[in-house]
Amino acid sequence: MDTHTLSIRRVGIDTWRESVAYLHRDCEAVRAAGFQALAKVQVRANGQTISAVLNVVDDERIVSACELGLSEDAFARLGIEEGHAAHVAPAEPPASLPALHRKIAGERLERDDLHAIIRDVAAARYSKIELAAFVVATNGWDLDRDEVLHLTEAMIEAGRRLDWQHAVRGGPVVDKHCIGGIPGNRTSMLVVPIVTAHGMLCPKTSSRAITSPAGTADTMEVLADVELPFERLQQIVRDTNGCLAWGGTADLSPADDILISVERPLAIDSPGQMVASILSKKIAAGSTHLVLDIPVGPTAKVRSMPAAQRLRKLFEYVADRLRLQLDVMITDGSQPIGRGIGPVLEARDVMQVLRGEPGAPSDLRDKSLRLAGRIIEFDPDVRGGDGWRIARDILESGRALAQMEALIDAQGRRSSPPQLGELTHELPAPGSGQVIGVDNLQLARMARLAGAPQVAGAGVDLLAKLGDRVEAGQTLYRLHAQFPADLHFARSLAEKDCGYRLG
Amino acid sequence: MDTHTLSIRRVGIDTWRESVAYLHRDCEAVRAAGFQALAKVQVRANGQTISAVLNVVDDERIVSACELGLSEDAFARLGIEEGHAAHVAPAEPPASLPALHRKIAGERLERDDLHAIIRDVAAARYSKIELAAFVVATNGWDLDRDEVLHLTEAMIEAGRRLDWQHAVRGGPVVDKHCIGGIPGNRTSMLVVPIVTAHGMLCPKTSSRAITSPAGTADTMEVLADVELPFERLQQIVRDTNGCLAWGGTADLSPADDILISVERPLAIDSPGQMVASILSKKIAAGSTHLVLDIPVGPTAKVRSMPAAQRLRKLFEYVADRLRLQLDVMITDGSQPIGRGIGPVLEARDVMQVLRGEPGAPSDLRDKSLRLAGRIIEFDPDVRGGDGWRIARDILESGRALAQMEALIDAQGRRSSPPQLGELTHELPAPGSGQVIGVDNLQLARMARLAGAPQVAGAGVDLLAKLGDRVEAGQTLYRLHAQFPADLHFARSLAEKDCGYRLG
């Protein structure tokens, strides 16, 4: 097809992940190809090719008729200096589009179809519209288990893959993961110190909060740096057996990152996409053994035991075929874990458990020991059933605390850690009775309105939990915020529905 | 929530339908609200509000830190001059988002849900991602008939509605429509002259080609202006009883136009969306009586008689409840209608039929008379069964031709009509035999590659049709193009698969 030689110009417009090419309306390429704004074009320069969305420009100060303007993202992706010659042509439609259309029409896709789709997604050849269509067409249980397997495989192939075998010489590389949805559930920050103190390799990378008030990376960041260049991360793991870092720098499953950016605004969290997303990232990160936490409760992601079992079997089917040793634990998701919700409060809970303080939240301690125990039993030298006891000994002896301090120092201790938000509001119990319901979603919303996770010291501190007896007027929880407007919004929500049921 | 006063600046970037707001990275609004590129923002100025996608700018020459840049589309939608004060704030999520999420999860939606969704779509409050999600989640037969009814109602309410009752005083306002997919099917250009010559009011607006080689508006444009301001259109209908105009200027179903812009790249053409799209536009245009053409054939949109019947019943259910008199005709869609495919060739066929030329394509003539006859029978004074004969008399007497000439003059006759493309290639029959299959899709693709509809004189001229006996080497069809590259591409496709089967 026709292409046109133009001179590259960097246009100082940040369009985030969407690469935009700016062409002047009088540019030969626009006139000859009958380009319209929002058409997909292919930009070639010096052997590199990227696709971009076209914006047509009428202002010579932005681009002239012989220039090809590139948004910041497009300029960075192409990686070629200003003034270099470039060609622009209509983008070929992604090769996997017929497969996408078949999925939209409800057909089952083959292995090659899913690999082709994920290759195109990872190469940013799909438009937002096509990404959303894929995500919706594979929603719910619309993917069968082989489709999920092939999707997972394809996501692994499309990204970088880490290998720790030189460090473990055939031994396990362990990890844990929770499917999410339970505020305060910061077990990774206890499990990693315990199992690495036991001598296992656990290079744990975590996400930041997407829709929740805190992710493990946000909470660990209260104590230490979490954005570590990959080479430093490797060194830390060599030195300490583990890490508690943000996973965003590792480029492990770029296709998954792109799909999540579309799933999030649509509030989609389907079983197939969840399994492929979690397992692809774990396998790409080089894990060989994984303990997976599926919390079940009326306001958790999974609401019933049959639903949890169905999800468990899907995880097991895919993990087995990809030779990942998987141990699924279905846990109690009926209320938040620990007391704090929000980065600073959750870090406080974790440190209380590690230090063995008398007031430390026992539910966080118990759950972390159970998870760590199961991981320790991946160790071939540990007798079945002994894991929990070993984990408890490591915690009670102070070895887990020492290991956590070593991890914090290795990653870079925060010199002035963020403080708890000083603006507070205490929510009184509306009557007397026993706590018979706690709403995970409502409390998470409150913590976010209070400012978490952007404001690390914002959040909710629970003073009563399920089964506790409370008197009218007694404080159920305390809101913490840094800004008056945030406190106001969180308080308004709490006063509309406090998230607690008394009976 | 926080808003920030900025000065409006028009940025000469055409982003087509996607409104973009450009804010400098150092702008107070960006820093305070923690805006990221691609966030949705709400722009308020002088009592007007629009939503837009944010692009963050690092170049003072595009916008300074105290300016709010608007893309051409956003600037036009806001309709306020440069330098005026404006406020920008995070956009509230569309109110109908929970309903969209429920539809994605497979639930049935109520009337209020669908009205809320379409209100938000029409007001451009949905992102591309949300639009695509809606279109995919309502694909296939995923909408039940009441959902389709409510979707249709909502689309009518979201747009402008025309009323011709002053002109007909309770008489019918008639229209015809074909669901599409059959090349050359230009019956409207015969039906409108015939039924308006009979004295019926038929203010026909048509679309341009979206994925086909010609829409009625493209073909009529060979002869006359079709982009008419609404007031002129009304005057023409008063003077001549009808028109053959492009419908894009009337703003009849803005929500439908937006949804189509997403359905098209996904190749989605689902029954529910088709029914809502067609019926909403007809009712909004003030039609009271409609004849609908559903062609059935192996390469038509509808491939079997049961599928056609199912679609017919859905059309009837919705039309009845919205008090539109609907007469569905299931027709032969096994091959193109007429000889020409492409605007100039199709206009030639139409004029040959109107002039009663001996070589005029009889299939186009017969089908148009059948459709016109059914419309004429909407006239309370016409006896059931007499419509076809009346239509034929109008055509054979030359009254239809005179009426067409009047319509052309009223709309504005083209002084130098486009000519047939002079570059040609004749496709020889690969062997001898009877034509037993003609592929609508393949011939449409060829005509588009040859340049149609942008190049009005490009297309395919069929010299053999189903049932014809051809000898090896005899010409099956002639390709017409204006540019050598176009002819080359069309010819390559024809040589790969000529679209004809001989038996």
Side-chain angles (χ1 to χ4, degrees), chain B residues 268-281:
Chain B
I268 284 181
D269 200 356
S270 78
Q273 287 157 14
M274 184 196 291
V275 169
S277 170
I278 292 173
L279 295 186
S280 69
K281 283 212 162 124

Side-chain angles (χ1 to χ4, degrees), chain B residues 122-187:
Chain B
R125 283 191 283 260
Y126 267 28
S127 68
K128 286 258 169 73
I129 290 173
E130 288 152 356
L131 289 172
F134 179 71
V135 159
V136 174
T138 58
N139 188 33
W141 289 88
D142 283 355
L143 289 175
D144 77 11
R145 60 189 199 173
D146 283 314
E147 288 180 303
V148 177
L149 169 62
H150 297 139
L151 182 63
T152 312
E153 267 181 13
M155 283 185 176
I156 297 166
E157 269 185 26
R160 181 173 179 173
R161 192 159 176 176
L162 311 185
D163 188 350
W164 304 97
Q165 287 307 312
H166 56 279
V168 292
R169 300 204 192 89
V173 179
V174 302
D175 206 342
K176 76 151 275 287
H177 194 88
C178 175
I179 66 161
I182 308 299
N185 193 22
R186 287 287 81 75
T187 54

Side-chain angles (χ1 to χ4, degrees), chain B residues 54-92:
Chain B
L54 177 67
N55 280 191
V56 176
V57 175
D58 289 301
D59 185 340
E60 294 264 340
R61 289 168 300 178
I62 299 172
V63 286
S64 72
C66 58
E67 286 176 322
L68 166 70
L70 294 176
S71 67
E72 296 287 5
D73 171 77
F75 186 76
R77 275 177 60 218
L78 195 62
I80 290 169
E81 74 272 24
E82 282 197 278
H84 200 286
H87 294 264
V88 62
E92 305 270 316

